[in-house]
């Protein structure tokens, strides 16, 4: 079974010779702020490299203002850039007593600093944190990652907010890892290849024989999805159409047929 995991030293010593058989992508914590360095991050990076597990890195930030955010961004980048991770994630889920404005400004400064380095950047933020702390106003990141857990190790309710990666449990299991591990699933339009491919040119849509729907930018995709969702909400079409779109299995022919169905039922 293929899995996307995020890990830290809390998982202990991972047997990557076993874990690689289940893991498609690992997101490795490097530090907690600048004061606590993850004790296993180098070991985990080396394990991923040895067993060909694609990996990105993340930092759990503790800044209270823009100045502290930039200091943590520099430390994070300088610590791991030589390891050549596929992407960098800033994990913002606590205020540490800072006001909302400072958190937003610090998060934006952190992301902008990394983007200026020419790397792929992700924002992880709590489901409970996203709106109250105005993470929805932050821009310039490449993907959004949000947790929302069920009471089991299986996926439950999806996040209320559009995101690219959904952390659906903290109680997952992976061979080669003792104890629980966070598991994630793709939740938007980005494929696993988008996360694991270093070459941006390879991530651009190209014509394919299977005639899958192709889009030139995120705005177009969001507009199409919104159109389908509104039609589902009005009960003009079945939700399976939206699921098909989200799963990336809808073809151009499907969509053309769907447009005719919607047009007929609106009349």
């Amino acid at each position: 079974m293929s899995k996307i995991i995020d890990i830290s030293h809390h998982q202990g010593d991972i047997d990557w010779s076993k874990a690689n058989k289940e893991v498609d992508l690992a997101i490795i914590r490097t530090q907690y702020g600048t004061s606590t360095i993850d004790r296993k991050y180098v070991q985990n990076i080396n394990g991923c490299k040895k067993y060909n597990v694609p990996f990105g890195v993340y930092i759990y930030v503790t800044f209270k203002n823009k100045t502290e955010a930039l200091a943590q961004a520099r430390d994070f980048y300088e610590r791991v850039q030589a390891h050549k991770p596929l992407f960098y994630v800033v994990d913002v889920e606590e205020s540490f007593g800072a006001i909302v404005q400072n958190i937003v400004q610090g998060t934006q400064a952190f992301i902008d600093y990394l983007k200026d380095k020419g790397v792929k950047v992700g924002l992880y933020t709590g489901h409970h944190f996203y709106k109250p702390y105005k993470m929805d106003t932050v821009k310039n990141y490449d993907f959004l990652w949000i947790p929302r857990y069920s009471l089991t190790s299986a996926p439950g309710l999806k996040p209320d907010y559009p995101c690219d990666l959904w952390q659906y449990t903290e109680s997952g299991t992976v061979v080669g890892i003792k104890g629980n591990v966070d598991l994630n699933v793709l939740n938007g339009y980005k494929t696993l290849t988008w996360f694991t491919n270093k070459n941006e040119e390879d991530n651009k849509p190209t014509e394919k024989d299977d005639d899958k729907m192709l889009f030139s930018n995120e705005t177009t995709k969001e507009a199409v999805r919104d159109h389908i969702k509104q039609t589902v909400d009005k009960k003009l079409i079945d939700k399976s159409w939206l699921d098909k779109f989200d799963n990336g299995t809808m073809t151009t022919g499907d969509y053309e047929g769907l447009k005719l169905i919607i047009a007929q039922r609106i009349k």
Side-chain angles (χ1 to χ4, degrees):
M1 181 178 181
S2 298
K3 297 175 180 177
I4 299 172
I5 65 173
D6 57 277
I7 52 175
S8 69
H9 60 222
H10 295 296
Q11 275 67 53
D13 294 319
I14 296 175
D15 186 345
W16 287 102
S17 69
K18 296 178 180 177
N20 83 91
K21 296 177 174 61
E22 289 190 359
V23 176
D24 271 341
L25 175 64
I27 309 173
I28 301 169
R29 190 183 75 164
T30 67
Q31 59 206 88
Y32 178 92
T34 55
S35 60
T36 302
I37 308 308
D38 194 288
R39 298 186 299 275
K40 301 293 182 182
Y41 91 88
V42 174
Q43 180 176 314
N44 284 328
I45 287 174
N46 289 339
C48 285
K49 288 183 175 180
K50 181 176 180 179
Y51 291 98
N52 297 314
V53 177
F55 71 93
V57 292
Y58 79 94
I59 172 178
Y60 193 113
V61 295
T62 60
F63 59 75
K64 300 182 183 66
N65 53 53
K66 181 178 178 180
T67 300
E68 292 181 1
L70 285 171
Q72 291 188 17
R74 284 191 291 269
D75 187 75
F76 177 46
Y77 178 75
E78 291 170 3
R79 186 177 309 284
V80 292
Q81 57 92 17
H83 294 288
K84 302 188 183 305
L86 292 164
F87 52 81
Y88 299 69
V89 178
V90 53
D91 178 346
V92 188
E93 53 183 299
E94 289 188 68
S95 69
F96 293 97
I99 62 174
V100 172
Q101 181 182 4
N102 284 358
I103 296 171
V104 172
Q105 289 179 350
T107 302
Q108 191 64 68
F110 197 113
I111 290 169
D112 291 344
Y113 174 86
L114 291 176
K115 288 296 291 180
D116 285 344
K117 298 296 183 181
V119 298
K120 190 178 291 184
V121 181
L123 170 63
Y124 175 103
T125 190
H127 193 271
H128 67 287
F129 200 87
Y130 185 71
K131 284 287 187 179
Y133 288 88
K134 298 186 177 180
M135 290 293 100
D136 56 328
T137 67
V138 176
K139 306 181 186 305
N140 201 30
Y141 53 80
D142 296 294
F143 67 93
L144 179 62
W145 179 15
I146 293 180
R148 192 178 195 184
Y149 303 151
S150 64
L151 297 177
T152 70
S153 61
L157 288 175
K158 288 186 175 183
D160 290 333
Y161 318 109
C163 61
D164 303 291
L165 201 57
W166 167 27
Q167 187 183 75
Y168 67 86
T169 184
E170 58 183 351
S171 305
T173 58
V174 173
V175 63
I177 301 180
K178 297 176 182 178
N180 293 335
V181 62
D182 296 341
L183 296 181
N184 306 270
V185 67
L186 300 173
N187 190 57
Y189 310 110
K190 292 179 173 63
T191 64
L192 181 64
T193 302
W194 185 91
F195 286 91
T196 61
N197 197 334
K198 293 182 180 179
N199 188 342
E200 291 298 329
E201 290 299 317
D202 292 342
N203 293 321
K204 293 181 179 179
T206 56
E207 292 297 329
K208 297 180 180 179
D209 292 337
D210 58 6
D211 196 34
K212 292 287 180 63
M213 293 183 71
L214 303 173
F215 304 91
S216 60
N217 57 59
E218 293 295 320
T219 302
T220 304
K221 289 188 283 189
E222 290 171 359
V224 172
R225 187 184 190 282
D226 186 58
H227 176 61
I228 296 174
K229 185 178 186 304
Q230 288 183 43
T231 313
V232 170
D233 292 342
K234 292 176 182 177
K235 302 187 184 304
L236 295 174
I237 58 173
D238 188 85
K239 183 177 177 293
S240 62
W241 285 101
L242 184 61
D243 293 337
K244 194 171 186 179
F245 182 88
D246 287 341
N247 292 334
T249 57
M250 182 179 286
T251 67
T252 305
D254 285 336
Y255 187 61
E256 291 301 318
L258 183 58
K259 285 198 296 185
L260 291 175
I261 294 172
I262 293 172
Q264 290 175 351
R265 293 180 180 178
I266 286 177
K267 292 180 180 179

